[in-house]
Amino acid sequence: MSGRRCVLVVDDDEAIRQYIEWALSDEGYDVLAASDGAVALDVLMRQSPDLILLDMRMPVMDGWAFASAYHALPPPHAPIVVITAARTEQNPAAEIGAAGSLAKPFDVEELLSVAECYTASPR
Amino acid sequence: MCAATAMLALIALVVLISRVLIIANAGVLYLLVVIASALWLGTGPAILALLLAIGGVAYLYAPIDRDLAVTGARLVVVTIAQLVAVVVARLARREQSRADAERQRFQTVVEHAPAGIAVLRGQDFVFELINPAYQAMAPGKKIMGRTVSEAWPELAHQVLPLLRDVLRTGEAYHAIDMPLPVERTPGEPVAGGYFTFSYIPMRRLRGWVDAILVLVVETTEHVLARRRVEEQRERAEQFAAEAEALSVEREEHLQRLQELDQLKDDFLSTAAHELKTPVTSLRGFAQTLLRQQEKLGAPEPQRLAQTLHIIDEQSQKLARIVNELLDVTRIEDGTLQQERQLVDVVGIVEGVAAAARLQTTRHTIRVVAPARVEIFADPLHIEQVIANLMDNAVRYSPDGGPIDIAVAVGDGAVEIAVRDHGIGIPPEKRAHLFGRFYRAHQGGERSGLGLGLYISNQIVAMHGGRIAVDFPPDGGARFVVTLPPGKGAQSADSQGQER
């Protein structure tokens, strides 16, 4: 594994994508971004990130559809961390077999510790 | 008496004739007389005829000589006569007892029949026979020997025409559960009852009807019981139908509540998402800038500018969501204030169009309107409605394209139409378009809180207008706001012109 860890952000909100991209790249991560599940799958054809940060509510292809399509691909699979808005949305993480979740509004520290935690663990 | 006279006359005739006959022939004649007497007149007259015959023969052919000597002729005559007398007497008795038994049986049937039986004779319908069951229908009443009109004056007008018909036509009449007024006991008030009865013509040998047999059963209790059962069944059916309707109603109510509950859940989760997303980026951008400042002493100028721009955008988004929520609350509790005045709707439309042109470069926003159209309305609210329709038009045509706003005055109303060429709305989602929290497009940038059209519709309704939507065949959607014109509303140029 090369030294730089790579994170894929899948979120339809442009501002959120920009924020995560800046926050992680400032800490030395390579960041890939996709505006929906279909774009994310396209990115995954070419690159293999160490972690996927996934928003569930997206147009075209939402988080649930993306997760099942992604898990249908041959392994290895990067761990998925779900970005959720409501407390009641804890279950999507379990539904799609995600490694964890990140509840909005999350601050930079939380984001960085999640990225650190899931990219450091051996796959 | 008359029978005996006839028999004596017959014997006398035979005596006269037999004077010119030989004894054997005379004997046969006497025999015939005895047999005839036995058949038609009975045992007693037959014995009398027998004795007279013996006397006659003795007088004619063997004058009484007191010696009672048995001559051949005497012996033959007496023997035959005795035999005939015995046979005839026995036959007559058997016939008699058979007829008696027959009559007895008939009488038993009539007496014990559970139905009322009566025989009415003649043109006046006189009761010639009634059985106890018939009498039981009016226990205290004298019926036998009276006419129908005398016995039943209260129902004569109803039954007499029927009886006369039977008499005239010779055809039986049958009635089932016919209601008739009946005086049960003389002096008591007439009570109604139901009767099933038959009038059967009774014919003489030659075929003409001289009497009518009446068979009658009172069915009052049956009819009433049947009616009660019928009523109860109807009531039960009605009850079942009501229960069914109630359960359907409850089911629908429950379903509505479940739908509302689902809508509420969706709304809360949407609201959380819509509110938390801008808050997350506001915090995130502020924090990343702070971190840069800590690390580098100052944020990169380019990133600072971009961040400020994003913060501005996100705070606007938050403000819009908060305003929508406040509007809904005010609409719900009726505290949405309106400050109506005469305003130029074309000016408002052009203002909204100009603002929209600054937001998007992919869309061509065109306005077709007269120079000035006045309405009596709250200008801020009308601007909000048009801006909402414009915002939707931009949002739901992600690939860009023309957006046309047309203002027209016609038929006592002002019409503002906003037409896009975007993704439109799927037919199954069109019904609830103006409902609260309803979002035709789930997820992503295109979704909102689902309150925009609801608020717009409520505002337009408060102004006495309405919003309609149609979906042109070449795609997109066309929302038309119809508002009443202001007092003395005028348009400087009703043709309208593109600008």
Side-chain angles (χ1 to χ4, degrees):
Chain A
M1 196 183 287
S2 68
R4 283 178 77 87
R5 289 162 295 179
C6 180
V7 177
L8 168 63
V9 186
V10 191
D11 196 315
D12 59 308
D13 191 286
E14 201 183 332
I16 293 282
R17 284 202 306 271
Q18 183 70 78
Y19 153 43
I20 292 175
E21 208 176 320
W22 282 352
L24 292 179
S25 57
D26 282 355
E27 297 302 318
Y29 289 88
D30 279 339
V31 182
L32 307 168
S35 59
D36 65 63
V39 177
L41 286 175
D42 201 38
V43 171
L44 288 166
M45 290 292 129
R46 288 171 271 114
Q47 277 161 296
S48 310
D50 301 291
L51 171 66
I52 299 172
L53 292 175
L54 178 68
D55 185 24
M56 297 309 285
R57 292 159 166 263
M58 290 180 294
V60 187
M61 184 187 240
D62 64 19
W64 289 271
F66 166 77
S68 65
Y70 178 55
H71 286 135
L73 294 176
H77 295 122
I80 295 176
V81 168
V82 169
I83 303 172
T84 66
R87 278 181 212 287
T88 53
E89 280 186 12
Q90 292 297 346
N91 43 352
E95 273 171 30
I96 65 163
S101 63
L102 193 58
K104 287 181 194 170
F106 51 87
D107 57 27
V108 176
E109 302 297 337
E110 283 176 81
L111 173 66
L112 292 177
S113 72
V114 163
E116 176 66 31
C117 170
Y118 289 101
T119 53
S121 66
R123 313 222 298 257
Chain B
M1 199 58 210
C2 140
T5 319
M7 193 265 302
L8 286 174
L10 201 61
I11 294 289
L13 184 68
V14 171
V15 169
L16 286 176
I17 293 168
S18 59
R19 290 190 69 95
V20 296
L21 294 174
I22 59 162
I23 186 160
N25 289 342
V28 170
L29 267 180
Y30 281 119
L31 266 179
L32 284 173
V33 170
V34 170
I35 290 169
S37 303
L39 278 178
W40 291 324
L41 305 172
T43 318
I47 292 166
L48 185 61
L50 175 69
L51 293 176
L52 287 172
I54 294 167
V57 170
Y59 166 73
L60 281 176
Y61 305 104
I64 297 164
D65 47 11
R66 294 168 198 268
D67 64 351
L68 291 176
V70 180
T71 65
R74 260 190 205 164
L75 193 64
V76 169
V77 169
V78 168
T79 307
I80 290 171
Q82 274 178 338
L83 278 172
V84 168
V86 167
V87 168
V88 166
R90 197 174 281 179
L91 272 174
R93 194 183 304 150
R94 193 186 295 170
E95 197 52 42
Q96 183 90 33
S97 61
R98 190 185 296 164
D100 279 352
E102 202 69 30
R103 197 174 305 128
Q104 196 74 35
R105 208 176 298 161
F106 174 70
Q107 194 135 0
T108 309
V109 169
V110 169
E111 290 275 314
H112 295 94
I117 298 171
V119 173
L120 303 172
R121 181 154 313 270
Q123 300 285 328
D124 295 329
F125 309 109
V126 177
F127 281 96
E128 192 185 60
L129 175 150
I130 62 169
N131 71 343
Y134 193 92
Q135 181 70 60
M137 287 189 291
K141 207 167 216 181
K142 183 180 172 346
I143 297 172
M144 265 304 275
R146 304 177 85 174
T147 65
V148 166
S149 318
E150 287 163 354
W152 305 106
E154 65 276 13
L155 50 83
H157 69 283
Q158 264 177 281
V159 298
L160 279 180
L162 304 174
L163 288 167
R164 286 194 194 110
D165 268 4
V166 175
L167 210 56
R168 190 168 49 78
T169 62
E171 279 173 22
Y173 175 82
H174 304 283
I176 294 171
D177 298 333
M178 183 188 274
L180 290 173
V182 180
E183 189 192 52
R184 310 275 176 176
T185 316
E188 276 192 11
V190 170
Y194 290 88
F195 298 88
T196 291
F197 59 88
S198 294
Y199 292 151
I200 297 154
M202 295 176 81
R203 292 164 197 280
R204 274 251 169 124
L205 267 170
R206 288 195 194 88
W208 53 273
V209 180
D210 71 335
I212 291 171
L213 172 65
V214 180
L215 300 172
V216 57
V217 178
E218 173 157 14
T219 54
T220 308
E221 279 183 16
H222 293 96
V223 171
L224 294 183
R226 198 167 59 218
R227 195 170 289 174
R228 274 197 298 276
V229 168
E230 200 81 353
E231 276 170 13
Q232 272 165 4
R233 195 173 57 84
E234 259 170 42
R235 212 174 306 155
E237 273 173 10
Q238 200 178 338
F239 185 73
E242 276 170 19
E244 168 89 27
L246 208 64
S247 97
V248 167
E249 203 175 304
R250 270 186 53 178
E251 196 72 27
E252 283 171 0
H253 191 63
L254 197 66
Q255 203 177 334
R256 244 187 341 262
L257 283 180
Q258 282 168 347
E259 279 169 14
L260 282 178
D261 201 43
Q262 181 64 45
L263 217 52
K264 187 206 74 186
D265 283 352
D266 286 353
F267 172 72
L268 285 179
S269 114
T270 305
H273 187 264
E274 293 291 309
L275 285 168
K276 283 179 178 175
T277 300
V279 170
T280 305
S281 39
L282 285 176
R283 274 184 75 186
F285 281 109
Q287 285 174 344
T288 40
L289 271 191
L290 280 173
R291 285 171 74 90
Q292 256 199 347
Q293 188 163 25
E294 278 163 18
K295 272 190 196 165
L296 311 172
E300 289 170 32
Q302 198 191 343
R303 186 184 288 195
L304 181 61
Q306 248 176 308
T307 302
L308 288 175
H309 181 69
I310 289 168
I311 286 173
D312 181 43
E313 236 177 45
Q314 297 298 312
S315 53
Q316 266 183 37
K317 204 167 163 182
L318 264 180
R320 201 184 66 228
I321 291 168
V322 170
N323 279 336
E324 280 189 356
L325 286 172
L326 286 174
D327 282 346
V328 168
T329 312
R330 290 186 191 121
I331 287 169
E332 300 285 284
D333 60 21
T335 55
L336 188 68
Q337 297 288 323
Q338 286 188 49
E339 285 173 29
R340 294 207 204 176
Q341 59 197 72
L342 270 184
V343 289
D344 173 25
V345 75
V346 177
I348 295 174
V349 165
E350 280 178 343
V352 171
R357 285 187 193 110
L358 293 178
Q359 302 289 322
T360 174
T361 49
R362 288 171 297 168
H363 301 84
T364 316
I365 295 162
R366 298 180 298 208
V367 177
V368 176
R372 185 179 173 81
V373 175
E374 282 192 335
I375 57 170
F376 189 68
D378 183 316
L380 290 178
H381 284 166
I382 296 303
E383 184 182 349
Q384 187 182 345
V385 169
I386 297 166
N388 173 245
L389 295 180
M390 176 62 86
D391 192 43
N392 283 347
V394 170
R395 209 188 309 182
Y396 296 120
S397 46
D399 299 332
I403 293 171
D404 297 311
I405 312 182
V407 181
V409 184
D411 222 17
V414 175
E415 273 190 7
I416 306 144
V418 180
R419 158 90 160 102
D420 67 59
H421 293 78
I423 56 176
I425 292 158
E428 70 274 11
K429 305 256 176 134
R430 290 172 186 174
H432 306 287
L433 219 45
F434 297 101
R436 210 170 19 155
F437 309 143
Y438 191 80
R439 293 175 306 142
H441 300 277
Q442 307 276 327
E445 273 300 302
R446 287 182 211 128
S447 69
L449 276 183
L451 294 174
L453 279 180
Y454 170 72
I455 293 168
S456 296
N457 195 38
Q458 295 292 321
I459 287 175
V460 171
M462 280 180 203
H463 281 84
R466 62 193 189 87
I467 304 184
V469 60
D470 57 71
F471 301 92
D474 56 334
R478 182 169 171 270
F479 285 83
V480 183
V481 178
T482 308
L483 287 166
K487 229 176 214 171
Q490 52 178 12
S491 67
D493 174 12
S494 58
Q495 293 295 306
Q497 59 188 65
E498 196 167 327
R499 59 200 89 191

